[in-house]
Amino acid sequence: MHQRTIENIHQLPEIANWAVSLFKRNKIIVFDGKMGAGKTTLIKEIGKVLKVKQLINSPTFSIINEYTTDDDKIIYHFDCYRIKSLREAFDIGIPEYLDSDNYCFIEWAENIAPLLPENYLKISIKYLDEEKRQLKIETIN
């Protein structure tokens, strides 16, 4: 497990580089934290490190956004907040996305927990105050 405290938003580029360095072979990355903790903000910064071509936005209503990087890799960004059943997740095709061998960044993963692979990386963001966040990165197996 790795931990860092983010003192302010200006540290995000450094934090994103650090997080990406810990991805190693993990392609499924779960972002955990309460609403407003900064999950999408961190994903946007990680997208910059991975050289995503498009503007990264929260897929709140679309549930899944697809991005490409400068080297033509695909990244899927999930917001599973609105998923109410595993049936709905299957209908959307989430298992196929998870098996695609592309990066999958997942917010509100607890709503699809039975579909997650045995091994994935979990980034927990804890709101400390308006500027500060506690970040914890761990491999789940």
Side-chain angles (χ1 to χ4, degrees), residues 40-51:
T40 302
T41 302
L42 180 58
I43 290 170
K44 287 179 181 183
E45 206 59 45
I46 288 171
K48 290 178 187 175
V49 173
L50 297 174
K51 298 185 174 150

Side-chain angles (χ1 to χ4, degrees), residues 64-75:
I64 303 167
N65 286 346
E66 180 179 320
Y67 309 109
T68 53
T69 64
D70 281 350
D71 57 352
D72 292 321
K73 291 193 171 54
I74 297 172
I75 296 172

Side-chain angles (χ1 to χ4, degrees), residues 4 21 25 36 55 77 82 84 86 108 110 121 132 135:
R4 301 263 306 256
S21 77
R25 286 190 276 156
L55 180 65
H77 179 194
R82 296 183 184 283
K84 301 299 179 215
L86 286 180
W108 304 103
E110 59 270 22
L121 203 66
K132 259 188 199 182
L135 202 72

Side-chain angles (χ1 to χ4, degrees), residues 64-121:
I64 303 167
N65 286 346
E66 180 179 320
Y67 309 109
T68 53
T69 64
D70 281 350
D71 57 352
D72 292 321
K73 291 193 171 54
I74 297 172
I75 296 172
Y76 298 113
H77 179 194
F78 301 77
D79 183 332
C80 297
Y81 183 77
R82 296 183 184 283
I83 293 180
K84 301 299 179 215
S85 70
L86 286 180
R87 177 85 226 150
E88 185 180 353
F90 275 101
D91 289 346
I92 294 167
I94 288 178
E96 288 80 15
Y97 287 104
L98 297 177
D99 288 339
S100 70
D101 200 36
N102 293 305
Y103 277 119
C104 293
F105 298 155
I106 308 168
E107 299 183 49
W108 304 103
E110 59 270 22
N111 291 344
I112 62 162
L115 301 179
L116 292 175
E118 191 173 297
N119 298 302
Y120 59 91
L121 203 66

